[in-house]
Amino acid sequence: MIELIPNLPENVVGITASGQVTGSDYETVLVPAIEAVLKKRSKVRLLYQVGPNYSGFTSGAMWDDMKLGVTHIGAWERVALVTDVEWIATATRMLGFVLFCPVRVFANSELAEAKNWIAAD
């Protein structure tokens, strides 16, 4: 499941992933939120928290994640990933350069720091 994180600046889309994340979560929550920002601005910032109750991605979710990154390749201004799942953190550190924007990884205990960083000028 993906839920929007409220009370972020209008150029930031924040989500928390918990339980099983599906392609439908991307299609009904994340993609519309990102496209809504991009109707008003040329760039979007993403705060993506993989919460403590996260149990995995379906193959459809992984595909939609990849499609989202590629489809909007020039639209990313900054990305913050918040997770305690080591393989996700490692993959993001290794592959974050493909987004052509600053990418930082934070632990779940650093969520407040991630929010400050994603919103900073």
Side-chain angles (χ1 to χ4, degrees), residues 83-101:
T83 185
D84 294 330
V85 180
E86 195 53 42
W87 75 265
I88 296 173
T90 299
T92 300
R93 285 184 191 103
M94 290 175 55
L95 300 173
F97 72 92
V98 301
L99 296 177
F100 303 109
C101 72

Side-chain angles (χ1 to χ4, degrees), residues 65-88:
D65 186 69
M66 186 184 75
K67 272 193 330 190
L68 181 66
V70 171
T71 301
H72 298 297
I73 196 73
W76 304 112
E77 184 173 24
R78 189 178 278 197
V79 175
L81 174 70
V82 181
T83 185
D84 294 330
V85 180
E86 195 53 42
W87 75 265
I88 296 173

Side-chain angles (χ1 to χ4, degrees), residues 6 11 15 22 29 35 37 42 46 52 54 61 65 69-70 73 75 81 84 88-89 91 97 102 105-106 109:
N11 64 328
I15 60 164
T22 68
V29 179
E35 290 179 351
V37 171
S42 62
L46 178 63
Y54 162 81
D65 186 69
V70 171
I73 196 73
L81 174 70
D84 294 330
I88 296 173
F97 72 92
V105 178
F106 299 85
S109 63

